[in-house]
Amino acid sequence: MSRTPARSLPPLRETVRAHGLSASKALGQNFLFDEQLLDRIAALPGDLDGATVFEVGPGPGGLTRALLRAGARVIAVERDHRCLPLLAELNEAFDGRLTVIEGDAMTVDPDALAGGPYHIVANLPYNVGTALFTRWLEPAEWPPRWQSLTLMFQQEVAERIVAPVGTNAYGRLAILAQWRAEAKIAMKVHRSAFTPPPKVMSAIVRILPGKEPEGVDPALLSRLTEKGFGQRRKMLRQSLKSIPGAVEALEAIGIDPTRRAETVGVDEWVALARLLKC
């Protein structure tokens, strides 16, 4: 498959200027114009030549261009109608390999759209990033249809995703990301790379599906961690008391119910969910 566009494109910065487009603070937009950086991000999932990629919030299409240059077929969901003309130009330039859906990513089913295995690559809007991320981690079917997640977050959120037990950053996101998948920070992106520059640094997390422990209900594990970390300074016997049998199950597997959620390792949360399912 060709890795070059059917016709040349002007630099993205020029295209954005020609369309009179500016980043929307309400939509959490910050544009990336550095093509070398964008190509490095598009390379993180591995070889995308002929692969399908699902992208959320492409904006004017900087990362989209890089994914298309890498040979991918891209399905992009964009709610900002101002960006649609720029994305339409990309579809023409790359031989129709870009499908753009105008709408809210929270209402879209990427499994149905992709029609087969796919990768998710996105500079996630801050206002929906965590909600989308947890949704992608919670399917009952595992391994999931997605083959990898390559997602840009605020660095603080990225560190929470890869955090080990006992650290201040460790919490629900870490457990959901680590109990049946491998998560690592693949790249850090300085705030100066964006237009306009955000107030915080960013980082890209890469997640690959791993082996799923047997006998665990993902929805139950999600509920346990939601309760456990909802009031993280409380003892487990308080934070989990609304879940029938949870406190008794803690004692049955040797977890002191006076411990707090951030001291409980991923394997222990998994063991708790497994026992409660029985």
Side-chain angles (χ1 to χ4, degrees), residues 145-164:
R145 299 281 182 86
W146 54 262
Q147 296 174 295
S148 71
L149 303 177
T150 304
L151 307 173
M152 187 183 298
F153 295 96
Q154 294 179 6
Q155 185 171 320
E156 178 184 353
V157 176
E159 289 172 347
R160 286 164 52 197
I161 291 167
V162 303

Side-chain angles (χ1 to χ4, degrees), residues 32-277:
L32 277 173
F33 294 122
D34 185 333
E35 290 194 4
Q36 288 188 336
L37 173 60
L38 290 164
D39 284 338
R40 286 173 58 203
I41 295 171
L44 290 175
D47 185 9
L48 292 179
D49 196 17
T52 298
V53 172
F54 179 72
E55 184 185 9
V56 175
L63 180 56
T64 316
R65 289 184 179 208
L67 294 168
L68 292 166
R69 282 195 295 267
R73 177 177 77 96
V74 179
I75 302 168
V77 180
E78 178 56 65
R79 62 181 297 188
D80 185 355
H81 65 89
R82 303 175 306 150
C83 297
L84 300 182
L86 288 79
L87 296 171
E89 292 175 6
L90 282 186
N91 187 43
E92 290 182 23
F94 286 92
D95 301 324
R97 285 192 281 117
L98 172 61
T99 300
V100 179
I101 297 166
E102 183 180 8
D104 184 348
M106 291 294 293
T107 66
V108 169
D109 180 2
D111 285 3
L113 290 171
Y118 64 100
H119 301 268
I120 300 179
V121 184
N123 175 9
L124 286 175
Y126 74 92
N127 48 357
V128 295
T130 301
L132 283 170
F133 179 61
T134 55
R135 173 182 292 185
W136 294 331
L137 290 173
E138 293 179 339
E141 177 188 346
W142 199 266
R145 299 281 182 86
W146 54 262
Q147 296 174 295
S148 71
L149 303 177
T150 304
L151 307 173
M152 187 183 298
F153 295 96
Q154 294 179 6
Q155 185 171 320
E156 178 184 353
V157 176
E159 289 172 347
R160 286 164 52 197
I161 291 167
V162 303
V165 62
T167 60
N168 289 335
Y170 178 76
R172 182 167 184 261
L173 284 183
I175 295 160
L176 294 181
Q178 296 174 31
W179 79 278
R180 57 179 179 176
E182 298 176 7
K184 69 175 183 178
I185 292 180
M187 183 190 301
K188 294 183 179 179
V189 183
H190 197 275
R191 56 186 297 274
S192 61
F194 296 90
T195 301
K199 295 181 180 180
V200 297
M201 301 285 279
S202 297
I204 299 171
V205 176
R206 184 160 185 243
I207 295 183
L208 298 175
K211 185 178 180 181
E212 182 176 37
E214 294 181 0
V216 180
D217 179 355
L220 177 57
L221 180 63
S222 178
R223 186 180 172 211
L224 284 167
T225 56
E226 184 178 20
K227 292 292 184 181
F229 288 95
Q231 296 174 298
R232 60 186 296 144
R233 301 311 303 165
K234 286 192 173 184
M235 297 178 184
L236 290 170
R237 67 185 180 195
Q238 287 296 116
S239 59
L240 298 181
K241 67 180 181 180
S242 63
I243 299 178
V247 176
E248 293 79 8
L250 286 170
E251 296 174 337
I253 59 176
I255 298 176
D256 185 344
T258 65
R259 287 169 63 182
R260 292 183 172 87
E262 70 262 24
T263 71
V264 180
V266 174
D267 289 345
E268 291 178 301
W269 284 106
V270 166
L272 178 61
R274 181 184 289 117
L275 183 59
L276 282 173
K277 185 184 177 185

Side-chain angles (χ1 to χ4, degrees), residues 16-17 19-25 29 31 60 80 82-83 195-196:
V16 167
R17 187 181 301 118
H19 284 266
L21 187 64
S22 60
S24 166
K25 189 173 182 179
Q29 291 175 334
F31 298 158
D80 185 355
R82 303 175 306 150
C83 297
T195 301

